[in-house]
Amino acid sequence: VGSSSSSSRGRQPLEIGLMKRCVPLACVVAAVAAEQTTIYKVDYPAAGLCGQESNVTKSWVNPHWLFPMMLGGFSEGHCADIGFTKFNRTQHIHMHGHDLVFDLFAATQTRIAVLELKDSARSGRAVRAKLCMPVGAGKWPLYIFGHGFGCAPEDYTYFCQVAVVASVYHSDGAVFPVDVDNAGAALDAAFLAARLPELAAGDASSPLFGKLDGTVLIGGHSMGGGMTVLAVGEHAARTDGIAVFAPGLYTKPGAAPFLKNISAPALVVSGSMDCGANALDKEAQPAFDGLASTSKVLVVVKGANHCQWTQPFERGLGVCSIDKNECHGISRARQHELGERLVKAFAAALKSAGAWEAFERVLAAGENDGDWTYFSSRTSPASKRLHNDCPCGKTPEVERVW
């Protein structure tokens, strides 16, 4: 026993030395291999809201993942997964020498449901959409939505405050949301625009049963705006109107040639501080001008930029989750609020000829309040011109709201 004990004591310095060298190496390897994730918890850090922390390193050696998940009651995922999708504010929590950043969300809509339907006309293609809608009783317009390049369908679930939103997607993407099958997505949108109202009317097992009011919109953001033009202009998708935000006509195939085929009422929205490839003069104005619609509106939201039309939920890298320095004059939450207001008023305007007049009053009131400027094919003088605020400088740090 003595010999064994002596031998054990003799090995200790070597073992300890190895541990001192190997444990940090293991930590480095674990940290490099670990993925970035998002965690959330209801009633934290504020009662009644869901707090979500993004870009957390999922690793057993990271206490900021380990303790919240193992002991703190947090879950991996997004607040939107449990129906908390109305952005409220961003809150900083100082803890153990670290500044933790939480995005807070309120519960005003249903949890996101994943739909997968088969399109028999395309050899049983799996058509996927992420679905959510307002909470409570009532019927709502259906809004088939296409996400932007490098963005996720969850990024736009705030529209679920005012409509039943079916966000078309094909692949989530493990690191970067590469979901750029524009041609396929356009056919998916056309399929959903016809199939989902059928389910709402006749399938009691569907989450849509009894929830639609008969109005169908197709729309999207950025690349999703181009997808909308393909769905309606090339494939004659069933729709009562299109509603696109910062549209990009640079899809494959290009969307511009199909604008002339669209006569449905249209809402085209641009941000006054969207100064990149999707700026007013580059995409939104040409899209608006090319439409054959007799009832169409172009709105320039003051202080809005390109990426604040999203609430980035990407688990890896995303176009709008990594670009944090785009200038803006309003907060992300305010930009979402104005987007919701426009979609709600536009959908209501499609119900009757008289309802359009109410939509025009909403537009006039918003312009009078300084929220936006607009051009209406029905009421604006031909001489009226809309402008953006480009070029714009980087927003000062004290004004930055993400």
Side-chain angles (χ1 to χ4, degrees):
V1 174
S3 174
S4 173
S5 174
S6 173
S7 174
S8 175
R9 286 194 301 269
R11 289 198 304 267
Q12 282 181 357
L14 176 61
E15 290 172 350
I16 292 173
L18 286 172
M19 288 178 64
K20 286 182 178 179
R21 287 192 293 270
C22 293
V23 170
L25 177 61
C27 292
V28 170
V29 172
V32 170
E35 65 176 293
Q36 297 297 107
T37 190
T38 300
I39 62 176
Y40 68 88
K41 182 179 180 179
V42 176
D43 292 326
Y44 184 86
L49 299 174
C50 176
Q52 175 177 297
E53 185 183 9
S54 302
N55 298 318
V56 178
T57 300
K58 184 178 179 179
S59 169
W60 294 104
V61 299
N62 176 22
H64 295 288
W65 180 82
L66 176 64
F67 293 119
M69 292 295 294
M70 298 297 104
L71 303 173
F74 278 74
S75 299
E76 185 175 5
H78 305 97
C79 291
D81 296 339
I82 55 172
F84 288 75
T85 55
K86 179 66 173 178
F87 180 71
N88 180 274
R89 66 182 185 272
T90 297
Q91 186 167 332
H92 293 251
I93 302 294
H94 190 72
M95 182 180 297
H96 305 306
H98 292 271
D99 187 31
L100 307 181
V101 181
F102 287 87
D103 288 328
L104 274 59
F105 299 86
T108 54
Q109 61 196 55
T110 61
R111 295 179 62 174
I112 294 175
V114 177
L115 295 182
E116 182 170 317
L117 304 171
K118 300 295 183 181
D119 184 358
S120 59
R122 290 185 288 162
S123 303
R125 174 183 167 97
V127 179
R128 299 185 179 95
K130 295 194 176 180
L131 182 78
C132 55
M133 66 192 78
V135 296
K139 296 186 176 184
W140 310 90
L142 173 63
Y143 192 13
I144 309 295
F145 198 91
H147 63 76
F149 174 75
C151 299
E154 293 90 345
D155 292 358
Y156 310 94
T157 49
Y158 61 91
F159 283 118
C160 298
Q161 315 302 316
V162 297
V164 175
V165 177
S167 294
V168 182
Y169 79 106
H170 192 258
S171 172
D172 282 317
V175 177
F176 184 82
V178 181
D179 192 7
V180 292
D181 180 11
N182 306 138
L187 286 166
D188 290 348
F191 171 80
L192 292 171
R195 182 60 179 144
L196 295 185
E198 293 175 350
L199 294 177
D203 185 352
S205 66
S206 170
L208 290 169
F209 185 68
K211 293 295 185 180
L212 301 185
D213 68 4
T215 304
V216 178
L217 302 177
I218 300 180
H221 168 239
S222 197
M223 181 185 71
M227 182 279 295
T228 300
V229 175
L230 294 177
V232 181
E234 182 181 15
H235 302 299
R238 179 224 159 169
T239 185
D240 297 299
I242 67 170
V244 295
F245 290 77
L249 303 177
Y250 39 71
T251 49
K252 294 187 180 300
F258 302 102
L259 288 165
K260 63 181 183 297
N261 299 336
I262 300 177
S263 58
L267 168 66
V268 180
V269 183
S270 183
S272 74
M273 292 187 175
D274 189 343
C275 298
N278 293 64
L280 173 67
D281 58 321
K282 297 177 182 178
E283 296 287 336
Q285 186 74 60
F288 177 80
D289 292 341
L291 292 167
S293 313
T294 56
S295 297
K296 57 182 180 178
V297 171
L298 176 61
V299 180
V300 178
V301 177
K302 293 185 177 181
N305 65 21
H306 190 74
C307 276
Q308 284 192 166
W309 291 121
T310 74
Q311 178 64 51
F313 285 121
E314 292 81 21
R315 294 185 63 181
L317 301 176
V319 168
C320 287
S321 62
I322 61 177
D323 182 6
K324 301 288 180 131
N325 293 317
E326 189 182 6
C327 58
H328 56 278
I330 57 176
S331 69
R332 185 186 301 273
R334 178 61 173 166
Q335 190 164 326
H336 292 183
E337 179 186 345
L338 294 175
E340 292 168 23
R341 187 196 304 177
L342 287 166
V343 168
K344 181 178 181 179
F346 178 65
L350 304 177
K351 298 183 184 302
S352 68
W356 187 271
E357 296 177 2
F359 178 45
E360 293 273 1
R361 290 194 292 271
V362 170
L363 294 172
E367 185 168 84
N368 185 62
D369 292 341
D371 293 327
W372 54 62
T373 57
Y374 76 98
F375 183 92
S376 168
S377 63
R378 287 196 180 190
T379 61
S380 297
S383 60
K384 185 176 183 179
R385 296 289 183 269
L386 302 185
H387 305 278
N388 59 23
D389 297 321
C390 302
C392 61
K394 299 299 183 184
T395 304
E397 187 70 33
V398 294
E399 298 178 3
R400 198 171 293 159
V401 181
W402 295 94

